[in-house]
Amino acid sequence: MDVVRTAIGLMSGTSMDGIDVALIRTDGRGFIERGPFLGVPYEADFRGRLKRALELARPLTNRRERPAELREIELELTERHALAVTAFLERYGLSAGAVDVLGFHGQTVLHRPDDGLTIQIGDGRELARRTGVSVVYDMRANDMVHGGQGAPLVPAYHAALAGKLQQAGEAVCFVNIGGISNLTYIDADGRIAAFDSGPGNTLIDQWIEMRTGRPYDPGGEIGGRGTVVPALAERYLNSPFFRGNIRRSLDRGDFAPLRPDEASLEDGARTLAHVAAASIVKSAGFLPERPSAYIVCGGGRLNGTLMAELSAMAEGSRVLSAEAAGFDGDAMEAEAWAYLAVRSLDGLPLTFPGTTGVAAPVSGGVLATP
């Protein structure tokens, strides 16, 4: 009989806006019982420190290398994750002993799949010591050792959820719009295809922060007042990323931000929302067939301008927020990391040929005990 475990997932994504904490009970297979969620935002100063970590990681060629300043940031990040776990347990009246494992994503500071290099900062052993709970971390690296792109990893969880949505003969596509967007396609027979689809929130957030000092466009309101600048949109959508049949995973820096003088505040925000939506549809052209529905999760689902653009481009496919499909769009990635941690404990595959391009299904992750 498969063992059901209680797991907490910890996600700090490419948007670098905070830590998502979510609890599930799962056997790492088909049984999933979703629990509470907590979002813990980063203060502006620490977001600046994470951006500094991207610069420090750029020249690295060894994923274990930690220059002194990068190591300091890694320990700060780990401390914030430990405090987030403590706050979560206190908020929901849980003890550390009630949790079997933490799935720790860390913060991706460098991802160069063509070079077989990915670096996520975050000290799993220190997190286990601080929280008193076993931690599974560094879940991308083994996939890359075996020839995969190291991303996306969430599709294994999407596939487990898909059965609750599908009607006879239907294919569905989960769309995660974080800093980078990715797609997970599951057909009626449970076959998976998944890949990064293009820029998500990162370009929009960079533009808004550069022009206003605010971290993002709340609800897509600023973009909703603008119009698309075709020449700027095409500059992104003509990227070589969208050509050819080989899908690759993306780094936050793969698409350059707009320059301050290239558009008005509103037109820039609208254009980049259009690019995020069009990227999804262009990349979906590489799926085996058109899905009956797109289920949108991640922060981008809250951008009304982006969602309206996506709905207009979806060509007969329904576009639903995660909530409309019965899920929690804020919690889904953190839930996925909890699910993957349990699969790692059991030696089950985290990635598949149809998700990362790895030669055969492969497990991954490093276990740290308190």
Side-chain angles (χ1 to χ4, degrees):
M1 184 175 177
D2 298 331
V3 177
V4 174
R5 294 183 173 92
T6 299
I8 290 176
L10 300 163
M11 183 69 201
S12 180
T14 50
S15 295
M16 300 192 302
D17 52 2
I19 304 166
D20 293 336
V21 189
L23 181 145
I24 64 171
R25 294 182 66 248
T26 183
D27 60 1
R29 297 164 176 83
F31 176 80
I32 299 167
E33 184 177 274
R34 294 167 44 238
F37 167 79
L38 179 67
V40 181
Y42 292 138
E43 65 275 20
D45 286 350
F46 187 65
R47 291 183 71 235
R49 293 279 281 160
L50 289 179
K51 291 176 183 177
R52 172 64 178 156
L54 300 178
E55 298 173 13
L56 294 168
R58 197 171 295 128
L60 301 183
T61 57
N62 182 334
R63 70 184 186 86
R64 293 186 175 87
E65 191 177 351
R66 296 292 187 274
E69 187 179 355
L70 185 61
R71 177 59 177 163
E72 290 175 8
I73 297 170
E74 180 173 54
L75 291 175
E76 290 177 36
L77 178 83
T78 305
E79 179 182 14
R80 279 169 170 74
H81 277 74
L83 293 171
V85 171
T86 299
F88 181 88
L89 295 175
E90 289 177 353
R91 168 79 61 92
Y92 295 109
L94 300 167
S95 67
V99 181
D100 295 301
V101 67
L102 304 176
F104 181 28
H105 178 271
Q107 185 71 49
T108 300
V109 293
L110 186 71
H111 189 68
R112 292 183 182 150
D114 295 341
D115 299 329
L117 178 64
T118 187
I119 301 176
Q120 286 78 43
I121 59 170
D123 188 327
R125 299 189 186 284
E126 178 66 12
L127 184 62
R129 187 189 71 80
R130 290 282 303 267
T131 60
V133 182
S134 293
V135 175
V136 173
Y137 66 105
D138 199 16
M139 293 195 220
R140 298 186 188 277
N142 196 47
D143 175 81
M144 298 184 83
V145 167
H146 289 83
Q149 292 267 307
L153 265 68
V154 177
Y157 184 59
H158 287 160
L161 296 177
K164 305 177 188 302
L165 295 171
Q166 288 167 313
Q167 301 170 11
E170 277 196 337
V172 298
C173 183
F174 285 85
V175 181
N176 179 58
I177 308 177
I180 299 295
S181 295
N182 55 68
L183 308 179
T184 303
Y185 165 95
I186 306 104
D187 72 12
D189 297 322
R191 288 174 296 208
I192 307 174
F195 41 79
D196 284 355
S197 58
N201 299 319
T202 292
L203 291 175
I204 305 169
D205 294 348
Q206 288 171 332
W207 175 253
I208 296 298
E209 186 166 25
M210 178 172 56
R211 294 294 299 269
T212 73
R214 299 163 67 181
Y216 63 96
D217 180 4
E221 295 170 6
I222 296 172
R225 299 195 298 269
T227 58
V228 175
V229 181
L232 295 179
E234 288 306 308
R235 190 171 79 201
Y236 288 107
L237 297 173
N238 285 333
S239 164
F241 173 77
F242 298 110
R243 297 195 293 272
N245 290 322
I246 298 175
R247 301 292 83 210
R248 60 180 292 272
S249 58
L250 289 166
D251 181 70
R252 175 186 168 95
D254 281 340
F255 288 87
L258 288 178
R259 297 188 302 274
D261 60 350
E262 291 192 281
S264 70
L265 170 64
E266 293 81 3
D267 289 356
R270 176 61 180 273
T271 299
L272 294 172
H274 173 85
V275 167
S279 297
I280 291 164
V281 174
K282 283 178 76 79
S283 291
F286 293 96
L287 296 173
E289 64 180 272
R290 181 184 301 167
S292 62
Y294 292 101
I295 312 300
V296 185
C297 48
R301 80 192 191 287
L302 304 176
N303 184 317
T305 302
L306 196 167
M307 289 291 282
E309 291 271 3
L310 181 57
S311 296
M313 298 179 197
E315 296 184 347
S317 301
R318 291 173 291 148
V319 175
L320 303 172
S321 69
E323 286 73 16
F327 305 119
D328 184 333
D330 289 327
M332 193 175 290
E333 271 201 291
E335 290 172 356
W337 241 253
Y339 181 79
L340 292 169
V342 172
R343 287 183 68 84
S344 177
L345 291 177
D346 290 343
L348 295 170
L350 307 188
T351 57
F352 304 85
T355 63
T356 65
V358 69
V362 64
S363 192
V366 176
L367 175 64
T369 54

